[in-house]
Amino acid sequence: MASKNAKIIIAVVVVIIIIAAGVSVALLYHPPKKVVTHVFTDTSQTAAPEELDPATGFFTTNGPLFAAVFQTLVEFNGSSTQVVPVLAQHVYNHNDQNYTFDIWSFAKFSNNEPLNATSVWFSFYRGIVMGQGPYAADYPGILFNATNEGITGISLPWGLRAALVNAGYSLTGNLTEQYKQAAVDLDNILSNFNYNATEMKVMEYKDQAVVVNSNDNVTINTMKPYPFLLQDIAGWWGDILYPGYVDAHGGVTYNTPNSYIDDHGAIGSGPYTIKSVSSGLSTIVLVKNPNYWVNGHASQIPAIAQPAHIPEIVIKYGLSHTDRLEDFDDNTSQISEVGPSSFKQIISGFYDKSEANGNLVKSYKVLGAFYISMNTQ
């Protein structure tokens, strides 16, 4: 029996391990024959996205949409857990703790505005200070101090307070008071992002999570050596957003989602842009990005970032099993998903009897992630 003076330590730390795996998914696909328009309809998504802001939405159903609209410095190569540079031209890993990225000088957002190192700083710092699921789950102890977050209730990129003071900001009081003031200061910078001398002095401060070295060069510094950073930022919690659009639609407030971006999406650099969003996110229309920065440079960019091939895609989320079956069979949709037990029914009912065979069923490998939570014991 323990004495009264003995200390009993209970481990409450939760560790999240992400394991990528090759998983197969069976979909039904046919080309849009006998369709007079250029629209391609997808009814395979059985649930709507959680939110349209990659700093907020954390459901797996967000993945395909975010991958079409936004991009990251590096992305998974499409067939394994290996990553390839996309927005970054070159990646330099310094001792698994300091990662430097050369960004393509011709990278730009879908509105033709340039995408550069300040866009990266904006997107990461916005996601961290908002404190929502994706960044809160992926970067504690890596890009922000989780212990201080537990004390103050605020996530701040590590080194930000020193960067603010170096640029002339004043932070006083205890830790919580300093964190609140720094969060408000960061909100103001992000919500009025104009690249003035003071903002640049903050972003260029060397001893912090993300450092703007030059227009097309940025460094991400982890708190401790972390060899999985590239796989981490390849998820949508590494997506780069156009700052001006966020500022024009609500800006940034610490610990608070942006309801406008959640409902309407934002401007990214991907091969598609969002044309329209229905109430409840039940239908989302994507159109080919007319200003896609990869156009004219495709031979230099990995295939995962190739230009769009379909001019317009209508995604109908959360249809019933019956509707998914019927829409596919009457050629309303060109890609859908039903359980294996319904394959025979959907094939036999297909509108084009010459193609009513097993070739309608396509099997694709996708990357999955399994989250294993453990205490330290």
Side-chain angles (χ1 to χ4, degrees):
M1 182 174 179
S3 68
K4 292 182 179 180
N5 294 325
K7 293 182 179 179
I8 301 174
I9 301 176
I10 301 175
V12 294
V13 177
V14 175
V15 179
I16 299 177
I17 299 177
I18 301 176
I19 306 172
V23 182
S24 292
V25 59
L27 300 175
L28 293 120
Y29 166 78
H30 67 86
K33 290 183 178 180
K34 299 182 182 178
V35 177
V36 296
T37 69
H38 61 290
V39 175
F40 181 98
T41 301
D42 174 5
T43 57
S44 67
Q45 309 295 324
T46 56
E50 180 187 15
E51 310 287 356
L52 298 186
D53 186 344
T56 305
F58 209 18
F59 287 174
T60 56
T61 51
N62 294 71
L65 181 69
F66 288 158
V69 176
F70 303 102
Q71 291 175 315
T72 59
L73 292 167
V74 298
E75 297 182 9
F76 293 109
N77 68 4
S79 61
S80 73
T81 58
Q82 298 301 309
V83 299
V84 292
V86 175
L87 291 173
Q89 180 181 6
H90 298 112
V91 180
Y92 308 94
N93 177 356
H94 311 286
N95 300 318
D96 289 340
Q97 188 165 5
N98 313 106
Y99 298 79
T100 299
F101 305 83
D102 289 330
I103 301 171
W104 289 104
S105 60
F106 47 81
K108 60 183 179 180
F109 293 103
S110 60
N111 62 350
N112 244 351
E113 291 292 326
L115 186 157
N116 53 38
T118 61
S119 311
V120 176
W121 192 93
F122 173 93
S123 298
F124 275 90
Y125 277 39
R126 170 184 182 260
I128 292 172
V129 80
M130 283 173 62
Q132 304 305 299
Y135 284 78
D138 279 271
Y139 297 121
I142 300 170
L143 296 183
F144 69 87
N145 189 311
T147 300
N148 287 351
E149 190 276 334
I151 296 171
T152 65
I154 298 171
S155 302
L156 285 183
W158 79 263
L160 173 68
R161 286 183 295 159
L164 290 170
V165 171
N166 180 67
Y169 289 83
S170 177
L171 300 176
T172 60
N174 60 31
L175 181 69
T176 298
E177 291 168 338
Q178 289 189 27
Y179 256 60
K180 286 183 178 179
Q181 184 58 56
V184 170
D185 291 338
L186 180 57
D187 287 349
N188 288 332
I189 291 173
L190 297 175
S191 300
N192 304 278
F193 205 60
N194 57 17
Y195 320 101
N196 62 35
T198 302
E199 289 186 2
M200 293 308 301
K201 196 169 184 179
V202 174
M203 289 188 279
E204 292 171 351
Y205 184 73
K206 295 301 182 183
D207 196 17
Q208 63 177 317
V210 181
V211 181
V212 173
N213 302 312
S214 67
N215 191 59
D216 298 321
N217 186 272
V218 66
T219 297
I220 298 179
N221 302 304
T222 59
M223 296 181 67
K224 296 179 180 179
Y226 182 62
F228 307 109
L229 180 74
L230 297 182
Q231 281 80 5
D232 216 353
I233 67 174
W236 61 80
W237 33 93
D239 282 346
I240 309 304
L241 280 64
Y242 174 58
Y245 187 85
V246 175
D247 290 355
H249 296 91
V252 181
T253 303
Y254 74 89
N255 285 348
T256 306
N258 183 312
S259 59
Y260 185 91
I261 305 298
D262 281 344
D263 293 339
H264 299 86
I267 292 177
S269 61
Y272 285 93
T273 65
I274 296 176
K275 178 181 179 181
S276 65
V277 179
S278 68
S279 176
L281 309 184
S282 60
T283 301
I284 297 176
V285 179
L286 302 179
V287 292
K288 186 176 180 179
N289 178 359
N291 302 309
Y292 191 38
W293 63 278
V294 174
N295 293 332
H297 304 279
S299 62
Q300 300 172 262
I301 311 298
I304 194 68
Q306 63 185 286
H309 298 286
I310 303 171
E312 183 171 327
I313 300 175
V314 176
I315 309 173
K316 296 182 178 181
Y317 293 93
L319 295 184
S320 69
H321 182 276
T322 298
D323 287 342
R324 294 199 307 274
L325 190 153
E326 292 179 351
D327 283 2
F328 185 82
D329 273 353
D330 67 13
N331 200 30
T332 299
S333 69
Q334 284 71 56
I335 188 167
S336 193
E337 179 179 1
V338 296
S341 62
S342 298
F343 284 172
K344 183 176 180 180
Q345 179 184 1
I346 201 170
I347 291 171
S348 64
F350 192 57
Y351 80 101
D352 187 342
K353 298 305 179 184
S354 66
E355 294 187 1
N357 55 57
N359 291 331
L360 290 173
V361 180
K362 308 293 183 182
S363 181
Y364 301 93
K365 286 187 177 180
V366 297
L367 293 177
F370 299 92
Y371 297 83
I372 304 174
S373 299
M374 303 176 291
N375 65 29
T376 57
Q377 300 304 307

